[in-house]
Amino acid sequence: MITVTATKIEAILYLKGKPLSLGEIAEYAACDRATVKEGIIELMDNYAHRDSALEVIETPDGYSLQLRSDFHDLVQTIIPVELGVGALRTLAAIALNSPILQSDLINLRGSGVYQHVPELVELGFIRKRRDSDSRSYSLQVTPKFHQYFQIEQLPQILSTSQKEEQLELELELKGVANAE
């Protein structure tokens, strides 16, 4: 049976939704730090002995009620990802030019790429591999990108030489059609 103090601490941690120090919890619970410490230990023990998706942990910032790490994949699936405009543009550049060297992406998008790429890798939208022909990394979108954005196939971007060849072919065909 869990004590009233432990239940109150659980409610405080749940409602605040962020790590809290012993002092902060004691202030909200209107009790002393020793009582809070006992309540926290009781809560941690209680969560450890039941089959729950939640746990009470100690972080560098204080104590927190959070989802167990076993369920982080579920969070990625259920909660929509919020990307900043810069990261979204970087992702779009990678998707349209995939695979692309990180050095080429930096030339295209600027130094903000250094912040965007780790975020996009962590979210599982891109894959980053050391390129065998250069000192840069090769970046490409993952199946998660296609699934998340519901994109089956991206439009093919033609290189400048391919565009020129296509234009020449079209002009030749028009020339032949006009000559007939």
Side-chain angles (χ1 to χ4, degrees):
M1 176 113 177
I2 193 164
T3 64
V4 174
T5 304
T7 304
K8 194 174 197 179
I9 292 168
E10 179 182 35
I12 292 166
L13 293 174
Y14 173 79
L15 291 169
K16 290 306 279 183
K18 65 177 187 173
L20 298 172
S21 69
L22 283 176
E24 291 170 314
I25 297 169
E27 189 176 319
Y28 289 121
C31 62
D32 61 80
R33 293 166 78 106
T35 306
V36 168
K37 186 70 175 168
E38 288 173 18
I40 292 278
I41 291 169
E42 183 182 346
L43 264 181
M44 288 175 136
D45 185 57
N46 186 286
Y47 274 101
H49 286 92
R50 64 175 146 155
D51 200 16
S52 171
L54 300 175
E55 64 184 345
V56 176
I57 64 157
E58 183 176 8
T59 71
D61 298 322
Y63 293 92
S64 177
L65 177 65
Q66 67 178 34
L67 196 62
R68 289 189 193 276
S69 59
D70 303 354
F71 295 95
H72 286 190
D73 287 343
L74 187 60
V75 172
Q76 296 289 333
T77 304
I78 294 174
I79 297 176
V81 175
E82 291 187 27
L83 289 173
V85 174
L88 242 142
R89 288 181 178 167
T90 297
L91 180 57
I94 294 167
L96 292 171
N97 297 291
S98 190
I100 184 171
L101 291 179
Q102 184 168 317
S103 56
D104 293 339
L105 184 62
I106 292 164
N107 291 336
L108 185 67
R109 292 275 308 130
S111 64
V113 165
Y114 289 117
Q115 285 81 40
H116 302 153
V117 167
E119 178 184 1
L120 296 170
V121 168
E122 184 179 331
L123 292 170
F125 289 138
I126 64 169
R127 185 176 305 118
K128 178 180 174 179
R129 293 195 176 129
R130 178 68 73 184
D131 185 64
S132 58
D133 298 333
S134 72
R135 292 183 5 198
S136 189
Y137 289 96
S138 176
L139 307 171
Q140 66 184 100
V141 293
T142 63
K144 180 179 178 177
F145 166 85
H146 293 283
Q147 179 186 12
Y148 184 85
F149 290 100
Q150 299 175 351
I151 298 172
E152 293 295 323
Q153 186 175 356
L154 293 167
Q156 296 297 313
I157 293 183
L158 301 175
S159 68
T160 306
S161 61
Q162 288 174 317
K163 286 179 189 173
E164 289 171 359
E165 288 173 19
Q166 186 175 9
L167 185 59
E168 286 173 15
L169 181 62
E170 288 173 13
L171 290 174
E172 283 176 23
L173 291 175
K174 285 180 183 175
V176 171
N178 288 341
E180 293 176 353

